[in-house]
Amino acid sequence: MRTQVAIIGGGPAGLLLSQILDLKGIRSVILERKSREYVLGRIRAGVLEQGLADMLRAAGVGDRMDREGQIHEGTDIAFAGKRHRIDFAGLTGGETVMVYGQTEVTHDLYDARDALGGSIIDEAKNVEINGIDTHTPSVVYEKDGQIHTLHCDFIAGCDGSHGVCRTSIPADIRREYEKVYPFGWLGVLSETPPVSRELIYNHHPEGFALCSMRSNSLSRYYVQVPREEKIDDWGDERFWEMLKRRLPEEISASLVTGPSIEKSIAPLRSFVSEPLSYGRLFLAGDAGHIVPPTGAKGLNLAASDVHYLSDALISYYRTNDEDLLRRYSETALKRVWKATRFSWWMTTLLHHFPENEGFGDRIQQTELEYLFSSKAAQTVLAENYVGLPYEPS
Ligand code: APR
Ligand code: PHB
């Protein structure tokens, strides 16, 4: 088999890259380890920056998002029992975010790939990438017991945080930066009306809580829990009690609880691997970096990597010029690090850090009080949350 771009991973990064390339006449094949049902069963975040929403529209994948998604012009941050609003639109000259589940984005991308006859090979096992330091790379994989070789010009590593592409970059060239947080997020999806029209990020001495949603009848809630917590120890009642304790009175009083239809614990960490390319291998999305979910940047960073990588590949196939490809890593990492900083800052601002007792707690409280006393401070939060511009390559 032969294609132009072999894409490892059929999550949002791989699917969006494949769709954008296809619309420019560039052939790709996606090799996905799991079944399509498994991929579509993942519950992930749900806040899209304007840049991602525009990319989906330009790729012909924005119709259902525009019909069913919700435009949010701000968010609430609650601390010391009171809620305050960050007015995205007012502080950024009209910029907003789109609330639309990543599961739905992935669904829409699969539908779009099918409509264009895109090649997605799911349940592709034991993927091995070869020859990335040559002009004739290839991918070997197993499907239905048969071994296949896919020859290509380039390999896009969109295989997430547990993939094989990042570690194919030689260890003596790779630099990894990591910060592990001493807690995780216990998340619940429930068929209940959201407690508020917009999201509410709650700082509480016991720990962080987030009120989010997927639609007017589907709510998504999270509470900070110690890293070692086990999901089996968390019945729905225990979850709802903890959430209510962490919300301001007026919010917990109007919280509608119900049975969880999904419940999981995710650890929080910041991680960036440099460089994002080596020879003919290019990493995009979680394959190259991980952010804590506090700033809702995971999916949006996958999109910005795909924005730069697709531009570079389109330029190459148009002009045979590899300049943008050569500069992809440096260009993409600039935005990755700014989103990594913001996600770390939001996490540090809003979570309870046991080791922070005393001085750290007072600094956090002062940071929150300053945030709501300063339009400049709120503007910094707003412009990062709605998404910094995609700087030209
Ligand atoms: N071979 C083939 N596919 C693989 C392999 C492999 N060795 N390893 C992983 N994969 C697949 C996974 O099954 C997954 O479907 O790669 C895909 C990677 O998708 P994501 O993990 O969703 O990563 P990405 O597309 O970068 O999207 C980032 O997804 O996980 C969230 O929080 C993350 O919101 C962020 C977004
Ligand atoms: C979500 O709805 O899952 C969500 C929203 C905002 C975040 C993280 C997760 O910061």
Side-chain angles (χ1 to χ4, degrees), residues 44-47 185 199 201 210 212 214 220 222 293-294 296:
R44 291 279 195 275
V47 175
W185 278 17
L199 274 61
Y201 289 82
L210 171 61
S212 183
R214 292 291 176 272
R220 183 69 168 157
Y222 298 94
T294 326

Side-chain angles (χ1 to χ4, degrees), residues 8-15 31-34 38-39 42 44-45 102 110 124-127 158-165 284-287 290-291 297-300 302:
I8 317 299
L15 290 162
L31 297 173
E32 164 55 51
R33 174 165 63 181
K34 297 291 187 186
Y38 184 95
V39 175
R42 289 182 183 134
R44 291 279 195 275
Q102 176 174 319
Y110 267 111
K125 304 291 184 201
N126 306 322
V127 165
C158 301
D159 50 348
S161 53
H162 305 295
V164 293
C165 291
D286 275 17
I290 299 287
V291 285
K297 290 301 170 197
L299 175 59
N300 292 298

Side-chain angles (χ1 to χ4, degrees), residues 72-85:
H72 280 206
E73 299 191 353
T75 188
D76 281 350
I77 292 184
F79 75 98
K82 290 198 188 64
R83 62 200 280 190
H84 309 262
R85 186 164 185 271

Side-chain angles (χ1 to χ4, degrees), residues 10 32-42 106 110 120-125 143:
E32 164 55 51
R33 174 165 63 181
K34 297 291 187 186
S35 70
R36 184 177 289 205
E37 294 65 37
Y38 184 95
V39 175
L40 291 172
R42 289 182 183 134
T106 309
Y110 267 111
I120 302 174
I121 298 171
D122 66 353
E123 298 186 290
K125 304 291 184 201
K143 169 81 176 171

